[in-house]
Amino acid sequence: GAVVSQHPSRVICKSGTSVKIECRSLDFQATTMFWYRQFPKQSLMLMATSNEGSKATYEQGVEKDKFLINHASLTLSTLTVTSAHPEDSSFYICSAQKQGVEEAFFGQGTRLTVV
Amino acid sequence: QKEVEQNSGPLSVPEGAIASLNCTYSDRGSQSFFWYRQYSGKSPELIMSIYSNGDKEDGRFTAQLNKASQYVSLLIRDSQPSDSATYLCAVAPNQAGTALIFGKGTTLSVSS
């Protein structure tokens, strides 16, 4: 199989604090991971592409200093939402690709609420 | 810009009927196509992949691909209320390590 585990599944934080979300590929090495954001009843929005050992590539309009991505190993990528504000409240989802395979496998998602 | 288009729906079908979901894509060079199912409040789940023209069947699901028409479809036979979800069509760009291009999804509602 291809299992991607994302943690935490839900988090509530105070405005101005930072939140870290982890994405792990459990049974394969993920050369590339992707981070998405999804607002209620809207489509997936790609935020950034993360490659192991290199800097993430951010989509236009996504603040790289606010959404810090680290892909330190072939099985772990993290997204840190810094200085969170209520408008950052959303569903954040990671996905991972095996080398040479095009389909993406998604983590369970993280529901972030900033109060 | 490479695009994937889907009708947003909702598509409403009665239990036991065939649901037909359609998708068109703009990049004629695309070779790999996927259907994901997303339940409300959950992340997408891969249900079908298709790479060659024609039909591919997996249980109650049939994916159909027509590269000449740049058209992908998903048929769900004997639709069940548990099939009610948003179905996302995705196309792989011809570049390794790049994200799938997703359509906005079609919401399917199966009534019992």
Side-chain angles (χ1 to χ4, degrees), chain A residues 32 34 36 38 43-44 46 49 51 91 93 97 102-109 111, chain B residues 32 34 36 38 41-44 46 49 51 88 92-93 97-100 102-104:
Chain A
T32 308
F34 306 95
Y36 294 85
Q38 188 175 39
S43 57
L44 292 172
L46 179 67
T49 300
N51 291 293
F91 190 43
I93 316 172
Q97 281 182 333
E102 291 172 309
E103 55 257 55
F105 301 96
F106 284 87
Q108 302 94 319
R111 176 84 48 199
Chain B
S32 305
F34 309 93
Y36 287 81
Q38 186 176 23
K42 304 293 185 182
S43 65
L46 178 66
S49 58
Y51 307 97
L88 303 170
T98 55
L100 299 180
F102 284 89
K104 294 185 184 299

Side-chain angles (χ1 to χ4, degrees), chain A residues 22-88:
Chain A
E22 291 189 350
C23 180
R24 293 181 185 273
S25 55
L26 297 186
D27 55 358
F28 67 98
Q29 292 187 327
T31 50
T32 308
M33 289 186 173
F34 306 95
W35 287 95
Y36 294 85
R37 181 166 54 180
Q38 188 175 39
F39 293 106
K41 298 193 184 299
Q42 295 192 21
S43 57
L44 292 172
M45 188 193 82
L46 179 67
M47 299 176 67
T49 300
S50 167
N51 291 293
E52 184 264 339
S54 62
K55 289 184 179 180
T57 301
Y58 290 82
E59 295 299 302
Q60 191 171 8
V62 178
E63 300 174 59
K64 62 181 180 181
D65 294 330
K66 179 170 184 64
F67 299 100
L68 301 179
I69 292 172
N70 186 295
H71 193 159
S73 76
L74 284 172
T75 59
L76 174 64
S77 177
T78 60
L79 167 68
T80 301
V81 182
T82 64
S83 186
H85 290 285
E87 57 265 32
D88 298 324

Side-chain angles (χ1 to χ4, degrees), chain B residues 20-41:
Chain B
S20 177
L21 304 159
N22 305 314
C23 168
T24 59
Y25 59 95
S26 63
D27 184 4
R28 185 170 288 279
S30 297
Q31 299 294 323
S32 305
F33 308 86
F34 309 93
W35 284 99
Y36 287 81
R37 176 177 62 200
Q38 186 176 23
Y39 290 114
S40 180

Side-chain angles (χ1 to χ4, degrees), chain B residues 53-109:
Chain B
N53 280 328
D55 295 359
K56 178 181 178 182
E57 188 174 317
D58 183 0
R60 295 186 295 112
F61 298 98
T62 299
Q64 299 175 316
L65 173 60
N66 183 327
K67 291 183 181 179
S69 300
Q70 295 174 241
Y71 178 88
V72 193
S73 66
L74 179 70
L75 300 179
I76 306 174
R77 289 182 300 282
D78 188 24
S79 295
Q80 301 297 309
S82 58
D83 295 325
S84 298
T86 297
Y87 289 81
L88 303 170
C89 174
V91 177
N94 277 329
Q95 185 177 354
T98 55
L100 299 180
I101 301 171
F102 284 89
K104 294 185 184 299
T106 298
T107 299
L108 172 66
S109 177

